[in-house]
RNA sequence: GCCCCCAUCGUCUAGUGGCCUAGGACACCACCCUUUCAAGGUGGCGGCACGGGUUCGAAUCCCGUUGGGGGUGCCA
C-alpha cells in the first residue's frame, strides 16, 4: 500500500452540479495536488435512478470548468458505485457471518409502534437475538456494539458519540440491495481512500461508517467535515429555493477563476489583506485544520464582485476573446450576421470595467449590431422632457453633418452646443445617448458614435427627434 | 423529542492568553476623479450573542444560558 494520500469526491448524479459539491471537490483536489496524492472521482449512482451517461459527463465537465482536469495525473476515475454492488453485498454478508449484523423482519410500522409504546424513538434492536436468516422482507442490520465511538475529525477535533444513541442501522434492504452507508464504506476501502473530506451533513453518519470500517477489519480513514453552505435564511443551500447549479453561473458569465477563488474563501481565507489571490497561493496555504466550523452564506453579490475583479484583471486580448464567445452565442439579441467583431474590439476596453458577469456585455453593445435598438420608454420620456433636449439635439445633428468624423470632433461639437445653451455635458448627452443606444446608461458615448458612422448616427438622432414630437 | 456541530462588523473572514483602541474583503454611505454608468482614489458606518468563572491579563481557556445549523429513512 502506498503512503501517498488518496482523497475522493463522491457525488450522486442528479443532473446538475451543486456549488457546495464544487467546493468539496475543490478542497479534495487542492489537497491532492498539494500533498501529491490522488483525487478519486466516484459517481454514487446506486439510487434506483439508472445511470444517465450525460449526467456523469456533466459532472466531469463541471469539474473541468473549476480546474479539476480528468486528464491530470492526480485524477483517478470516474468509478461507478453501481458496478461494485456485488462487493457491497459480499461485505454485508461477511458482517452477518462474523456476527456483526443480523436479519430483521420488522416493518417500519411495527418499529414505530413499539417505539411509541416504549416512549422511545427509533429501532430498539428487537431482532438482535432472534437468529433470523435471510428471507423475504428481511433487512440486514448492523449490530452496534456497546461503548463510545470517537470520530477524529481534522476540522473539528474529536467528536464523541455514545453508541446507545445509534440504532442498529440497515445494511441491506429487504430486496437485498445495499444502502449508502455500506456501499460508501466498501468503495472507500477498495479504493484505498485515506482521507474522507466531505460536507458536515455527513458527520452524523460517520460513527456508523467508522464502525463498519472497523468491523470489516480496516483502519478508518482520516475524516474531515467541512461546514455546509447556506442561503440568506441560513438554511442549507437547496435546489428548490436557491440558485445552486454551477452550470448556471457558468452560463451567465462567471469566470471559473472567480468561482474557484470565491468558493475557497467560504470557511477559509488566504493569508494577507486580500482575498483575491492566485490559485497557487491557495493551494500552498490551504489546510483543513484552518477551515471554519460554522456554515457560510453563499453570497452571490460577493461572487459577482470577485468576478468583476477577475474581468478587469484580464488582458485586453483575453477579454475580447471571452466577450466574443458570448456575443456570438445564443445570448446575442441580434442576427448573427450583423455582429462585427472589429467594432466590438474597438470599444472593448470601455466595456471591460463596466461588467460584472460576461453576459452583461450583450446589453452593453447591442446598439452597435441592432438595426433598431429597443428604446427604454421611461428613460426616453424623461430625457426628452427637458427644454433643451430637442433644440440641442437638433443642433448636434446639424453639427454632425459637417464635422470631421472622429471622437475628438464629435465631442467638441457636442460641447459647443452645450456651451451655447449653457448645459453641462453630463446632462446634454442624455437625449443623445437615448437616441443612439436606446438606453439611459452605457459605455462612453463618443467612441461608439464614431464607430457607428455619421450616417447611422444621424439617422438615429433624427428618428429620436421625430419620436419626441410625436 | 433525541444525537451532533457551531457562535468576531449586515455578509465572508483575520485573530490560537498580552502585539486588539479587534485587521481585511463584499455590501452600504460620503467625497474626489468623470460625457451617463462603471472603474479607480480617499474617508466613513459597523462586530467579539449573554452570564458566570480561570488568570496579573480573555475575542481567545472552562461552565452555563440563549440563538443558529446539521442529522434523525429499507435517500445519498
Amino acid at each position: 500500500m502506498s503512503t501517498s494520500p488518496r482523497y475522493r469526491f463522491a457525488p450522486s448524479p442528479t443532473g446538475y452540479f451543486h456549488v457546495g459539491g464544487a467546493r468539496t471537490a475543490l478542497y479534495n483536489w487542492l489537497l491532492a495536488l498539494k500533498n501529491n496524492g490522488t483525487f478519486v472521482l466516484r459517481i454514487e449512482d446506486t439510487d434506483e435512478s439508472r445511470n444517465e451517461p450525460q449526467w456523469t459527463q456533466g459532472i466531469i465537465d463541471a469539474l473541468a470548468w473549476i480546474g479539476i482536469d480528468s486528464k491530470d495525473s492526480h485524477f483517478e476515475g470516474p468509478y461507478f458505485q453501481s458496478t461494485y454492488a456485488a462487493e457491497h453485498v459480499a461485505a454485508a454478508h461477511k458482517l452477518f457471518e462474523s456476527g456483526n449484523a443480523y436479519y430483521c423482519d420488522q416493518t417500519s410500522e411495527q418499529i414505530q409502534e413499539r417505539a411509541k409504546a416504549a416512549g422511545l424513538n427509533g429501532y430498539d434492536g428487537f431482532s438482535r437475538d432472534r437468529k433470523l436468516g435471510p428471507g423475504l422482507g428481511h433487512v440486514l442490520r448492523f449490530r452496534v456494539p456497546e461503548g463510545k465511538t470517537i470520530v477524529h475529525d481534522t476540522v473539528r477535533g474529536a467528536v464523541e458519540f455514545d453508541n446507545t444513541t445509534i440504532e442498529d442501522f440497515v445494511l441491506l434492504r429487504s430486496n437485498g440491495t445495499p444502502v449508502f452507508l455500506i456501499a460508501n464504506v466498501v468503495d472507500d476501502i477498495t479504493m484505498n481512500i485515506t482521507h474522507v473530506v466531505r460536507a458536515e451533513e455527513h458527520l452524523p453518519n460517520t460513527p456508523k461508517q467508522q464502525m463498519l470500517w472497523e468491523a470489516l477489519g480496516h483502519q478508518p480513514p482520516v475524516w474531515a467535515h467541512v461546514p455546509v453552505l447556506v442561503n440568506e435564511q441560513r438554511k442549507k443551500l437547496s435546489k428548490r429555493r436557491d440558485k445552486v447549479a454551477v452550470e448556471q453561473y457558468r452560463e451567465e458569465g462567471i469566470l471559473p477563476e472567480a468561482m474557484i477563488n470565491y468558493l475557497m474563501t467560504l470557511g477559509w481565507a488566504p493569508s494577507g489583506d486580500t482575498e483575491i489571490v492566485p490559485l497557487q497561493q491557495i493551494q500552498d496555504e490551504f489546510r483543513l485544520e484552518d477551515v471554519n466550523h460554522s456554515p457560510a452564506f453563499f453570497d452571490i453579490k460577493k461572487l459577482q464582485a470577485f468576478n468583476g475583479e477577475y474581468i478587469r484583471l484580464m488582458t485586453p486580448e483575453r477579454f475580447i476573446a471571452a466577450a466574443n464567445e458570448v456575443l456570438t452565442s445564443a445570448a446575442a439579441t441580434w442576427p448573427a450576421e450583423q455582429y462585427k467583431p472589429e467594432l466590438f474590439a474597438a470599444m472593448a476596453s470601455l466595456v471591460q470595467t463596466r461588467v460584472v458577469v460576461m453576459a452583461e456585455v450583450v446589453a452593453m453593445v447591442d446598439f452597435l449590431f441592432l438595426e433598431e435598438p429597443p428604446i427604454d420608454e421611461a428613460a426616453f420620456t424623461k430625457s426628452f422632457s427637458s427644454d433643451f433636449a430637442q433644440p440641442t439635439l437638433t443642433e448636434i445633428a446639424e453639427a454632425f453633418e459637417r464635422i470631421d468624423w472622429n471622437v475628438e470632433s464629435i465631442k467638441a461639437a457636442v460641447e459647443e452646443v452645450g456651451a451655447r445653451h449653457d448645459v453641462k455635458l453630463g446632462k446634454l448627452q442624455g437625449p443623445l445617448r437615448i437616441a443612439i443606444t436606446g438606453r439611459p446608461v452605457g459605455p462612453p458615448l463618443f467612441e461608439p458614435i464614431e464607430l457607428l458612422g455619421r450616417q447611422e448616427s444621424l439617422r438615429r438622432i433624427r428618428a429620436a427627434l421625430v419620436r419626441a414630437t410625436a
Side-chain angles (χ1 to χ4, degrees):
Chain A
M1 203 164 127
S2 85
T3 53
S4 94
R6 289 173 63 81
Y7 299 86
R8 52 44 146 205
F9 177 59
S12 51
T14 54
Y16 72 103
F17 197 59
H18 193 288
V19 288
R23 186 184 62 148
T24 306
L26 232 27
Y27 277 6
N28 280 285
W29 178 245
L30 259 18
L31 254 9
L33 293 183
K34 180 183 172 130
N35 300 316
N36 196 28
T38 303
F39 173 99
V40 176
L41 173 63
R42 182 173 70 236
I43 309 291
E44 307 229 317
D45 56 351
T46 47
D47 187 14
E48 302 296 297
S49 63
R50 59 277 149 216
N51 165 26
E52 299 266 0
Q54 71 271 23
W55 288 351
T56 300
Q57 193 54 47
I59 289 171
I60 289 173
D61 290 346
L63 286 174
W65 186 67
I66 54 171
I68 302 178
D69 178 6
S70 59
K71 304 274 186 300
D72 192 285
S73 63
H74 297 274
F75 189 104
E76 194 178 301
Y79 296 109
F80 295 89
Q81 184 154 78
S82 57
T83 60
Y84 297 92
E87 281 84 345
H88 307 153
V89 173
H93 288 158
K94 190 177 151 197
L95 255 15
F96 172 64
E97 276 145 30
S98 62
N100 287 301
Y102 61 89
Y103 284 96
C104 173
D105 62 359
Q106 299 293 290
T107 64
S108 51
E109 290 76 32
Q110 290 173 306
I111 291 167
Q112 264 175 25
E113 258 174 52
R114 215 175 17 259
K116 213 169 157 190
L120 298 165
N121 44 343
Y123 177 67
D124 60 1
F126 181 77
S127 301
R128 278 197 150 203
D129 302 309
R130 292 170 60 215
K131 304 211 164 51
L132 260 29
L136 199 65
H138 292 194
V139 298
L140 184 68
R141 288 184 180 274
F142 184 73
R143 189 187 301 275
V144 174
E146 300 200 333
K148 292 177 189 310
T149 300
I150 298 172
V151 171
H152 293 279
D153 188 290
T154 310
V155 174
R156 289 155 206 285
V159 184
E160 203 177 294
F161 296 85
D162 188 330
N163 289 4
T164 56
T165 65
I166 302 171
E167 65 178 43
D168 288 349
F169 52 93
V170 170
L171 260 19
L172 254 28
R173 301 184 182 95
S174 53
N175 66 5
T177 59
V179 302
F180 156 79
L181 245 19
I182 188 157
N184 190 260
V185 166
V186 170
D187 287 346
D188 283 345
I189 290 172
T190 50
M191 293 171 194
N192 292 315
I193 299 304
T194 59
H195 296 252
V196 172
V197 180
R198 54 184 5 176
E200 191 192 349
E201 63 214 54
H202 288 291
L203 188 52
N205 288 149
T206 309
K208 300 179 187 174
Q209 296 197 309
Q210 183 161 299
M211 286 184 235
L212 289 176
W213 276 78
E214 285 162 356
L216 255 11
H218 292 270
Q219 187 78 20
V222 173
W223 306 105
H225 291 87
V226 304
V228 293
L229 263 26
V230 297
N231 63 19
E232 209 152 11
Q233 285 75 243
R234 302 245 120 219
K235 298 280 186 224
K236 192 170 78 161
L237 246 33
S238 91
K239 184 184 185 178
R240 281 201 80 141
R241 298 179 299 244
D242 309 304
K243 187 167 151 191
V244 296
V246 167
E247 290 87 347
Q248 203 180 340
Y249 289 101
R250 175 173 59 189
E251 268 165 39
E252 65 183 42
I254 293 290
L255 303 171
E257 304 92 301
M259 180 61 95
I260 294 167
N261 197 154
Y262 175 64
L263 247 17
M264 289 306 293
T265 64
L266 256 23
W268 180 81
S271 65
D273 270 354
T274 160
E275 295 175 303
I276 308 262
V277 295
L279 185 57
Q280 188 60 51
Q281 185 188 337
I282 294 178
Q283 194 189 124
D284 291 342
E285 296 184 348
F286 180 69
R287 295 168 69 236
L288 282 171
E289 290 84 347
D290 297 333
V291 172
N292 251 274
H293 297 185
S294 41
F297 168 46
F298 184 78
D299 186 352
I300 295 173
K301 268 212 176 132
K302 189 158 179 178
L303 203 213
Q304 290 180 332
F306 270 50
N307 204 56
E309 190 95 4
Y310 271 96
I311 286 177
R312 279 170 251 128
L313 246 28
M314 286 196 248
T315 61
E317 295 72 33
R318 259 204 70 204
F319 177 71
I320 289 171
N324 264 321
E325 226 169 276
V326 177
L327 297 171
T328 55
S329 76
T333 51
W334 49 81
E337 68 277 9
Q338 278 174 224
Y339 177 60
K340 301 197 182 56
E342 65 284 0
L343 234 52
F344 174 74
M347 62 175 296
S349 65
L350 303 177
V351 176
Q352 190 166 359
T353 57
R354 272 165 255 261
V355 291
V356 152
V357 294
M358 293 306 293
E360 288 175 348
V361 298
V362 172
M364 239 352 116
V365 299
D366 60 353
F367 66 93
L368 284 173
F369 312 116
L370 242 25
E371 228 149 284
E372 297 293 341
I375 290 179
D376 180 329
E377 289 297 342
F380 185 95
T381 309
K382 190 169 174 222
S383 201
F384 277 85
S385 65
S386 66
D387 296 337
F388 64 82
Q390 293 193 41
T392 54
L393 196 54
T394 308
E395 285 178 40
I396 287 170
E398 282 161 12
F400 277 9
E401 282 179 50
R402 50 184 162 72
I403 59 169
D404 289 340
W405 200 251
N406 58 58
V407 175
E408 293 73 33
S409 4
I410 292 169
K411 185 179 182 201
V414 174
E415 277 173 336
E416 206 186 301
V417 173
R420 224 178 294 141
H421 290 260
D422 197 26
V423 180
K424 286 240 170 60
L425 199 47
K427 291 196 141 189
L428 186 66
Q429 53 113 38
L432 179 58
R433 175 178 292 281
I434 287 275
I436 299 291
T437 72
R439 298 176 199 274
V441 296
L445 240 198
F446 306 124
E447 288 81 357
I449 287 180
E450 183 194 13
L451 292 173
L452 222 39
R454 192 195 308 266
Q455 214 187 339
E456 177 62 13
S457 299
L458 282 170
R459 206 201 100 232
R460 292 190 186 183
I461 292 171
R462 288 181 184 129
L465 284 168
V466 169
R467 184 193 187 92
T469 51

